[in-house]
Amino acid sequence: MKVGFLGLGDMGSAMADNLRRAGHELSVYNRTRARAEALSGVRVAASAQEAAEGVEVLISMLADDVAVEQVLFGESGAIHGLAPGSVHAGMSTVSHALARRLAAEHAARGQRYVGAPVFGRPEAARAAKLWIVAAGPSDAMERCRPLFEAMGQGIETLGEDPVHAAVVKIAGNLLLAAAIEALGEAYALVRKHGVAPARFLEIVNGRLLRSPVYENYGRIIAAERFEPPGFRLRHGLKDARLALAAGEDAAVPLPIASLVRDHYLTAMALGWADLDWAALARVSATAAGIHGPPQSSIANPGTPR
Amino acid sequence: MKVGFLGLGDMGSAMADNLRRAGHELSVYNRTRARAEALSGVRVAASAQEAAEGVEVLISMLADDVAVEQVLFGESGAIHGLAPGSVHAGMSTVSHALARRLAAEHAARGQRYVGAPVFGRPEAARAAKLWIVAAGPSDAMERCRPLFEAMGQGIETLGEDPVHAAVVKIAGNLLLAAAIEALGEAYALVRKHGVAPARFLEIVNGRLLRSPVYENYGRIIAAERFEPPGFRLRHGLKDARLALAAGEDAAVPLPIASLVRDHYLTAMALGWADLDWAALARVSATAAGIHGPPQSSIANPGTPR
Amino acid sequence: MKVGFLGLGDMGSAMADNLRRAGHELSVYNRTRARAEALSGVRVAASAQEAAEGVEVLISMLADDVAVEQVLFGESGAIHGLAPGSVHAGMSTVSHALARRLAAEHAARGQRYVGAPVFGRPEAARAAKLWIVAAGPSDAMERCRPLFEAMGQGIETLGEDPVHAAVVKIAGNLLLAAAIEALGEAYALVRKHGVAPARFLEIVNGRLLRSPVYENYGRIIAAERFEPPGFRLRHGLKDARLALAAGEDAAVPLPIASLVRDHYLTAMALGWADLDWAALARVSATAAGIHGPPQSSIANPGTPR
Amino acid sequence: MKVGFLGLGDMGSAMADNLRRAGHELSVYNRTRARAEALSGVRVAASAQEAAEGVEVLISMLADDVAVEQVLFGESGAIHGLAPGSVHAGMSTVSHALARRLAAEHAARGQRYVGAPVFGRPEAARAAKLWIVAAGPSDAMERCRPLFEAMGQGIETLGEDPVHAAVVKIAGNLLLAAAIEALGEAYALVRKHGVAPARFLEIVNGRLLRSPVYENYGRIIAAERFEPPGFRLRHGLKDARLALAAGEDAAVPLPIASLVRDHYLTAMALGWADLDWAALARVSATAAGIHGPPQSSIANPGTPR
C-alpha cells in the first residue's frame, strides 16, 4: 500500500521500518531531515504535503499537538497534499480536542480520520509489539488494518469516534504515571526504613501485582537507570497536561494527574526533562532527602524462598 | 503444634481453620465469643491470656493497633499467659511503631516476635493462598514455617527486624490504594467522554498492565460491586494512616497517601465505611458528578479482536 | 481623551461609566450589543475595529484569553482599527503568554501595550475603587494615568514588561483562591466539631488576620450567599488555569492551584459555574457530608468580649 | 492569686513573667530546671505535682500532647497535686482528643478544665498582647479572667466545651499555614517570571489583603529570615497533624492540611526542623529549583506610587 509517514523519532522510525519490511511503499517526512535519510528503502519527501500526495493512508507519529497542527495544517502541511478518499491514522498521543478537530477537518475534505494511538516503548515498536487502540469510521479502520498488523501485536477497536481512542490512551497513560508516582513514594518509604526497593518490588510485584509494567518501571526506578530515555519526562508532562485538559473539558477533577504534573514540574526545574519519565519517582526520593540509588550495602539481607 | 490464635474475623477464622486442618492444636480467643464458638475442632479460651498459655506459637490477626495493644497488653492480655521461649507471630497489619514495641516487649520477656503480615483477601485466606511477609529472629521464623505453610502459598522473609515486614506491608497496601484511586479517576474521565470503564479495563489491563490486582479491583469498581466487602473501607483508611505515620517518622512525604486518606474521609462522611475499600473509587466519580454504575446503554460498541 | 472600550460586563460597564463621568469621550464595543446600548453618553461601535478607530487609548476588559484574541485579532478586530502611536491598556486578567503576545503584536505596529489588570469586585469598580497593577512603556503608562485615576483608587506600577503585571495579578488571585479554599476547609472542620463558622471568623479574622478580604469572603461562605455572583466560579477556574499555565512555563509546581482547580471542577460538575467563586468553599463542605448553611440552632453560644 | 505554671519555653516564660508582674504568686515547673531558675520572683517547684499543690489555677504551656500527658498524668504529675475545686487552664495547642480527656479527668476529680489556647508569637507574649480563646465552665473561666488579662490583649470565649477552643485554635493555625504555603507558591511563581516577591507583597497585601499576618510572614519569607524561629517548623508539623486528626475524627478531609504536612516533612528531611515554620515556603522555592533569597539585582524596578 502507498503510505505517507510523518514523524521519525525513536517510535516513528521503528514503526516506519516495520511497514517497509511488510512490503509497503513509504513516503516519509521528518522536520529534521537527517532522521528521514537514515531510513533505508523509503522515499524522503521534501515536505509533509509532498509525503501525503498520492497515498492511501497517511500515518502521523509526532511529538505533540503543536507538531501535529504545524505538520498537518501549516504551510506545506500534509492536509494540502492529501487526496479525498484517503485516510489519516494519527498514532501519536494527541489531546481529545485535537482528535475532534482532526476528525472534523478530514471529514470536511472527504477524507477520514482514524485515531490510533499506541501503547509501547521504542523496543516494542522495533519488535512490532505495540498495542494499537483504534477508533474511526469502520471502513477506514479496515483499510489501516494490514498496516497496524505490521506494527503491532494487536488492535483494540473502540467504535466510530476517534476522540474515544484519544481518551483511552490519555487515561491509560495516567494509570502508568500514577503507578510510577506510587512506586516512587513507596520506595522512598521503605528505603528510609531500611528495606531495599528491589526487594520490596520482588515481593509486591512478584507475588501480588504481577504486572510487567510495574516490573519494568520498578527496576528502572530502583536502579535509577533513567538514561537513555524510553519516553522522555517532558513528554510525560505533556501527557499529564492532556489528561488534565480532557478532565477539565468534562468537569472531572483528577487529583493524581495534578499531583503528577506538579512533580514533573519539579523534575523540569531540576533539569531532568530528557531523562526517562520514570525519573518522576526521583522527585519523591528528593523530597524525602534521598539522593542517588541505594548502595548495595543497604541491600536487605532477606531472600525470597 | 500447640498454637494460640487471637482474632477471628473473616481473615482469622479462615486462617485458624486451615491450621486445624493441618493437624495443629488450637486454642482461640475472640472478643466476640460467638465467632470463636462457630469454629469447630478448637478450644475456645475465656481470655487472650488463657489462649496464650502453654503454646509454642501465638498468632494474632486483629483489626488494628488498638485491638492488638488491648488483647496483648490489657487486663487478661496474652502477654501475661505467654511462656518464655514462645513465639508471637503478628499477622495483621500493624504500625511500624507497634511492630517495634512488640519486638521489644517480647524480647524483654525471653520471647520472640515475628512480624508476618499477609497479602490476600478472605477468599485467599480460605484457600490457603495468602502471601506471608515475615521478619524476625531466624529460629523463631523456622518454628512458624509449618504454620505459615498451612495458611499461605508462599513466604517471603525480610531478615531479623519485624519492623521491615510491617513497612513492606504498609507500603504494599499504599501501592494497592494508589491503583484503586487511579482507576477511579481514569474511569470517571473515560466515562464522561463516552467510553465504558469495563472496555477501558479490557484494553489497559488486558493488554498493558496485565495485573490480576487491577483486574479484580477494576471489575469491582466498574460494576460498583462494593458489597459484601472483602476488606472494609474503614480499614483502608487505617492503612493509609499507617503509611502516613511511617512516612512522618522517617520524614518521607507521601502525597498519594494524603490524597487517598482525604478521599477515604469523604467516603466515611458519605456513609461508606463498611463497603469494600474499592469504594474509594466512587469518591472520584461523585466528585465528577457521576452517580451509579454505567448503564448498559452507555456500553461502548467497540469489541476487542 | 478619546478612548475605545471593549467589553461591558459587570466590571467593564462600571469602569466605562466612570471614564465617561470624568469627561472622556468613549467609543464602546460589546459582543452582546444590548449591554453597550444600556450605557448612556457613549458612542456604540458596530465592531471592535470601529471602536478602536481614532482613539488615543484602547481599553479591553474581556472575559478571557479567547475573547481577547477574538476581539483584538479576529475579523473586524480592534487591531485593524488602531492607529500607530496609540496605546492598548489590557485591564482584564489574561495569561502571561497572551500578555507577551500583545506586547509583541502592538510593538510590531508602532503601538504600545500596557498590561493593567485590576483587583476589585464590581462594587469596587462602580465606586472607582479598583487597584490597578500596570506595566508597560513608561510614556504609554503616563498617557493612561488619568484614565486609571478615574477608575481606581490607586495605581501600582511594575516597570516596562506587561508580563509582570499579568503574573502579579495571576499570583494575587491565587492567594485569594487559596484563602477561600482554606476558609472552606477550616469551616467544615469547626462546624463538624460544633463551632459556628461565623464565630470562628470573628475570632480568627477579627483578632488575628484582620483582612477585609477574609472578612468579605468569610461572611459570604458562612452564609452560603453565592448569588448574585461578584465574580463567577467559572472565571475563578479560568484564573486557576492561568496560574497553572504560568507555573508550567517557568517550571514552578503550584500544588494549591492544582487543588483549587480540582475543587472548581467538582463545583462545575455540580452545576455551580455561575455562582460566586467563593462557592469553591462549598466543595469542602460537601466532601465532609455537610449540606446547606449552618442552622441558627447550631450557633455557638460564646460571645466576643 | 496562687498560680501554678507548667512549661517555660519562649512563650511560657514570657507569660509567667507577666503574671508575676501583675502581682500573682507563682509556683513554676519546667522539665529543664535551668529555664525555671532564670525566672525571677517565682518559686521553682521540684516537680509538676509540687507546682500544682495549693494553687487556685494551674496553667500549662507545653510543647505538645505527649508533654502534657507526661507532666499532668505521669509520675509526680500535676494531677496528683491539684486540689478539688481548682482550675486547670491549658493554654498550649493540644489535640481535640486531649482537650476532651482533660475535661473528663479533671471533672472526675472535682476540678475544672478550661481550654485556653493563645494566638500570638513570643514577642506578643512578652508584650502581653496575646489573644486568648477560652472555653470551659463559666465560673472557672471567671476565675481565670484576671490571669488572662495579665497575659493577653483580649479574651474570646466559646462556651462550656474546652474541645471547641482546641478546634478553633487548630483551625486557625491551619488558616495561617495555608497562607504561608500560598505565599511560598505565589513567590516562586512571580520570582521565576522576574518580579521581586517583596514588591508583589507590597501590592497584594498592601492594597488588597491588608493583613498584618501576611505582612509579617510575607516579609520573613521574602527575606528568607527563618532564624531565630518565632515558632519552630517542627511544631508547625505537629499542628498540621492536630488538624488532620481533628478532621479524621469528624470525617472532614483537609487537603490543604495534607499538602502542608507533606511539605513540612520535606522541610524536616532537609534539616529545617528548627527554623521558623515560615520556612515551609522554602519548600515551594526548592521544588521550583530556586535556592536562596532573591538578589537585590533581581529587584523589580517598579515603585509604588
Side-chain angles (χ1 to χ4, degrees), chain A residues 23-284:
Chain A
H24 300 288
E25 201 178 320
L26 263 71
S27 162
V28 307
Y29 171 73
N30 195 58
R31 279 174 297 179
T32 309
R33 191 181 168 97
R35 295 215 54 145
E37 283 167 350
L39 219 62
S40 65
V42 303
R43 191 168 71 81
V44 177
S47 69
Q49 179 173 347
E50 189 186 310
E53 282 164 3
V55 304
E56 292 164 80
V57 175
L58 174 73
I59 293 176
S60 57
M61 192 67 200
L62 296 151
D64 55 24
D65 276 25
V66 170
V68 174
E69 284 167 356
Q70 194 176 321
V71 170
L72 260 283
F73 302 115
E75 209 184 328
S76 306
I79 200 101
H80 309 304
L82 212 56
S86 58
V87 171
H88 173 199
M91 301 190 72
S92 49
T93 307
V94 297
S95 71
H96 72 292
L98 181 55
R100 190 179 294 141
R101 179 183 172 194
L102 285 164
E105 299 261 15
H106 283 299
R109 288 162 174 82
Q111 302 157 356
R112 278 145 310 151
Y113 179 67
V114 174
V118 302
F119 285 108
R121 286 162 64 99
E123 56 270 27
R126 283 190 289 273
K129 294 275 192 193
L130 297 171
W131 281 101
I132 298 166
V133 179
S138 56
D139 60 330
M141 286 205 283
E142 277 317 303
R143 189 187 295 174
C144 295
R145 182 170 297 277
L147 305 177
F148 292 164
E149 283 168 353
M151 293 183 284
Q153 64 178 301
I155 306 160
E156 295 281 349
T157 62
L158 266 174
E160 299 270 321
D161 186 352
V163 172
H164 290 179
V167 168
V168 164
K169 170 65 180 165
I170 288 166
N173 273 15
L174 175 57
L175 283 193
L176 299 191
I180 291 171
E181 170 68 26
L183 278 167
E185 298 187 16
Y187 277 16
L189 181 62
V190 301
R191 233 181 115 179
K192 287 191 87 172
H193 279 284
V195 176
R199 181 74 184 104
F200 171 72
L201 181 69
E202 258 175 353
I203 295 172
V204 174
N205 191 54
R207 301 317 191 184
L208 191 62
L209 287 161
R210 298 213 303 275
S211 164
V213 167
Y214 278 80
E215 191 65 26
N216 183 30
Y217 287 114
R219 286 183 183 189
I220 288 173
I221 299 165
E224 299 223 341
R225 202 175 55 234
F226 301 129
E227 291 176 288
F231 181 63
R232 285 170 202 274
L233 192 142
R234 64 168 82 242
H235 296 145
L237 169 59
K238 178 211 59 168
D239 283 0
R241 199 192 302 136
L242 296 185
L244 291 165
E248 192 166 319
D249 213 31
V252 179
L254 296 171
I256 285 194
S258 291
L259 163 58
V260 157
R261 172 196 169 279
D262 285 331
H263 281 192
Y264 276 133
L265 289 181
T266 288
M268 299 293 284
L270 297 178
W272 306 343
D274 291 305
L275 297 187
D276 193 86
W277 73 322
L280 172 65
R282 194 189 260 175
V283 175
S284 293

Side-chain angles (χ1 to χ4, degrees), chain B residues 93-104:
Chain B
T93 307
V94 297
S95 70
H96 72 293
L98 181 54
R100 189 180 296 141
R101 178 182 173 196
L102 285 164

